[in-house]
Amino acid sequence: MTLNSEISGLIRDYRPRLPYRRWAPVADQVRATVAAAAPATCYEVRRLLYAVGRLAVWADSGGLPRDPGLWLRTETIDAFVLSGCPDLEGSTVQTCRTWLRRTREALVWVERGEAPPVRIASPRSPQPPYEEGELARLRDWAGHLPGRARLDGLALMALGAGCGLTSGELRQVRGHHIDTTSGVPVLDEDLLGRLVACRAGWSVVLAELADTAGEGYLFRPGRKVTAAKNLVSSWPSRHRPSGGLPPLSARRLRSTWIVGLLAEGISPSVVAAAAGMSSPAGLAPYHQWVPPLPRKEVIRLLHGHRR
């Protein structure tokens, strides 16, 4: 399978946030490895570049031969995960390991001239989005919680409804992972493996939370365990809104974000990429909640006008 010009350009122009002297010796081999493996995986090229690039720099600094076949051996990947990722959280390290293993599998299948194996999975159905009135009332409720609970509630909503992060992703975000220099809060691409900009309605809240958090986590910074299994889900169970409002849910906040973008006519390919999906096909379950366009708008669009 031939890579399109956009993907080829991403691979060619990729530059990690590492000193050039460490990246340059392995750069060409990393790019060639990702170019060969990308068509046979379901992962975004940015994720593969990030994972393979970190692995290659770590292996090279340890004196291992500059050989992608050696880098991607199971024992090398495991050693990298155990000792080469001190700056990454536990869940991010495990995700990185998965990307590297899939890259290795893809290369093996490519070398054999066969298609990659089909991975059978049964993804959970998305939860329905919050209604507009519910979200506004939940935001008001969270904004009136006392002390730390207020910051945690707003962080959960800003990262979920404002950025579409999953529960596993939002618990990793620290203040310095949010760049506000352009006036639009943009999340660290190296952390997520994709580009995510905060929705306008949550920009001020997220920027203030990032400034308050600094080097600490935005959500539940006082945690004793970095990636506790129920870190996100346990918060709504302890803080239940009154007045008949539904509890906060990271999955429902993410659904609200996705459906809101689709309802505004934003390209499904852009939404899917920002949501961390391999293709717009992953958005299919969410279309049931996207309201239909008014008849006049449909006619206008079909006539040739853009939204």
Side-chain angles (χ1 to χ4, degrees):
M1 184 183 296
T2 303
L3 296 173
N4 62 42
S5 58
E6 181 181 358
I7 299 301
S8 296
L10 283 175
I11 295 174
R12 182 187 63 249
D13 299 334
Y14 179 72
R15 297 289 188 279
R17 296 179 181 178
L18 293 169
Y20 181 75
R21 60 181 177 77
R22 297 181 63 196
W23 166 245
V26 298
D28 289 342
Q29 288 169 302
V30 169
R31 295 190 182 105
T33 300
V34 172
T41 73
C42 63
Y43 297 116
E44 293 180 4
V45 164
R46 289 182 185 275
R47 298 183 179 187
L48 299 182
L49 286 165
Y50 173 75
V52 177
R54 285 193 65 124
L55 171 65
V57 169
W58 171 83
D60 194 60
S61 64
L64 292 179
R66 292 167 184 166
D67 177 7
L70 178 60
W71 297 341
L72 292 167
R73 285 182 180 176
T74 300
E75 58 267 31
T76 307
I77 293 174
D78 289 344
F80 167 68
V81 167
L82 290 172
S83 63
C85 308
D87 58 325
L88 299 182
E89 304 300 334
S91 58
T92 304
V93 172
Q94 294 307 313
T95 300
C96 200
R97 171 192 273 175
T98 299
W99 294 344
L100 292 171
R101 288 182 172 179
R102 297 296 176 264
T103 302
R104 179 180 182 277
E105 292 174 5
L107 289 179
V108 169
W109 285 85
V110 167
E111 289 174 359
R112 293 176 182 172
E114 304 173 16
V118 176
R119 295 190 170 273
I120 301 175
S122 179
R124 293 187 298 175
S125 297
Q127 291 187 355
Y130 290 105
E131 296 179 4
E132 186 174 348
E134 288 179 335
L135 194 66
R137 290 170 61 197
L138 282 169
R139 181 171 179 169
D140 181 69
W141 164 78
H144 286 86
L145 290 173
R148 183 67 235 178
R150 171 183 172 274
L151 297 178
D152 287 338
L154 290 176
L156 179 57
M157 296 191 73
L159 293 172
C163 302
L165 301 193
T166 65
S167 59
E169 291 170 337
L170 68 86
R171 66 188 180 190
Q172 302 174 41
V173 179
R174 297 174 182 266
H176 65 81
H177 288 143
I178 299 170
D179 182 2
T180 60
T181 54
S182 68
V184 176
V186 177
L187 276 66
D188 191 328
E189 290 184 56
D190 287 338
L191 176 71
L192 299 176
R194 62 185 188 274
L195 175 61
V196 176
C198 182
R199 298 276 278 164
W202 291 99
S203 291
V204 173
V205 171
L206 188 61
E208 290 176 351
L209 289 169
D211 184 61
T212 300
E215 296 296 313
Y217 295 105
L218 262 69
F219 181 71
R220 303 186 74 172
R223 69 186 76 161
K224 294 182 179 180
V225 180
T226 301
K229 183 177 180 181
N230 298 317
L231 181 72
V232 177
S233 61
S234 63
W235 191 91
S237 67
R238 296 179 182 178
H239 303 85
R240 294 185 177 277
S242 58
L245 283 172
L248 282 180
S249 160
R251 292 179 64 198
R252 291 196 67 182
L253 291 168
R254 176 173 162 86
S255 292
T256 303
W257 175 80
I258 290 174
V259 171
L261 292 174
L262 293 174
E264 291 183 10
I266 297 175
S267 168
S269 61
V270 173
V271 178
M277 298 176 180
S278 58
S279 78
L283 297 171
Y286 296 90
H287 281 283
Q288 63 181 302
W289 297 300
V290 179
L293 293 174
R295 185 172 183 273
K296 288 185 178 180
E297 180 71 0
V298 172
I299 293 174
R300 194 178 71 85
L301 291 172
L302 292 175
H303 185 60
H305 295 280
R306 303 182 69 178
R307 295 189 77 180

